[in-house]
């Protein structure tokens, strides 16, 4: 269910749920999050909170930075710049992961 639909949870509720998941690192380990990110990046359209989740993942598990570079490249293939909120998150993620993300931007 997409945010904004009658049966969809509010954006605030979705953010709270995501925070709850990140507060449980014993359950949501880096391998689990990597699988989730890989599956979600293939969704069309890309969910609005996706980049927020990617950024939270990198902050919790910095070892996933190289993996996230692949996610960023995939988002370029999907023309992430056409969705303003995702694009803002993409740029923020690139800033956080510099200098590794320089190759993504070239």
């Amino acid at each position: 269910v997409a945010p904004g639909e009658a049966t969809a949870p509010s954006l605030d509720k979705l953010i709270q749920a995501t925070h709850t998941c990140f507060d449980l690192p014993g359950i949501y380990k880096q391998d689990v999050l990597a699988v989730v990110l890989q599956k979600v990046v293939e969704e069309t359209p890309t969910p609005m909170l996706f980049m927020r989740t990617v950024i939270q993942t990198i902050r919790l598990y910095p070892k996933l930075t190289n993996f996230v570079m692949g996610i960023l490249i995939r988002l370029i293939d999907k023309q992430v710049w056409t969705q303003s909120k995702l694009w803002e998150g993409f740029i923020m993620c690139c800033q956080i992961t510099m200098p590794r993300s320089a190759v993504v931007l070239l």
Side-chain angles (χ1 to χ4, degrees):
V1 177
E5 290 183 11
T7 57
S10 71
L11 199 54
D12 288 340
K13 293 287 184 191
L14 291 171
I15 291 170
Q16 287 175 1
T18 303
H19 281 295
T20 300
C21 293
F22 281 99
D23 286 341
L24 301 169
I27 297 171
Y28 296 96
K29 299 175 183 178
Q30 71 180 31
D31 58 330
V32 171
L33 290 171
V35 169
V36 169
L37 294 178
Q38 189 63 53
K39 288 185 179 202
V40 174
V41 76
E42 297 304 327
E43 290 185 15
T44 301
T46 306
M48 183 174 28
L49 295 177
F50 182 66
M51 288 310 304
R52 180 185 188 95
T53 305
V54 171
I55 291 167
Q56 286 177 297
T57 299
I58 287 177
R59 287 186 172 148
L60 186 60
Y61 298 112
K63 290 182 179 181
L64 285 178
T65 300
N66 286 336
F67 171 79
V68 167
M69 295 305 105
I71 297 289
L72 296 177
I73 289 168
R74 179 66 184 115
L75 289 169
I76 289 172
D77 292 341
K78 292 179 72 175
Q79 300 180 348
V80 65
W81 57 87
T82 62
Q83 295 174 278
S84 63
K85 290 292 182 189
L86 285 175
W87 182 240
E88 289 173 24
F90 180 92
I91 296 299
M92 185 182 299
C93 187
C94 288
Q95 290 170 338
I96 292 167
T97 58
M98 276 298 203
R100 288 186 186 163
S101 61
V103 292
V104 172
L105 298 171
L106 297 177

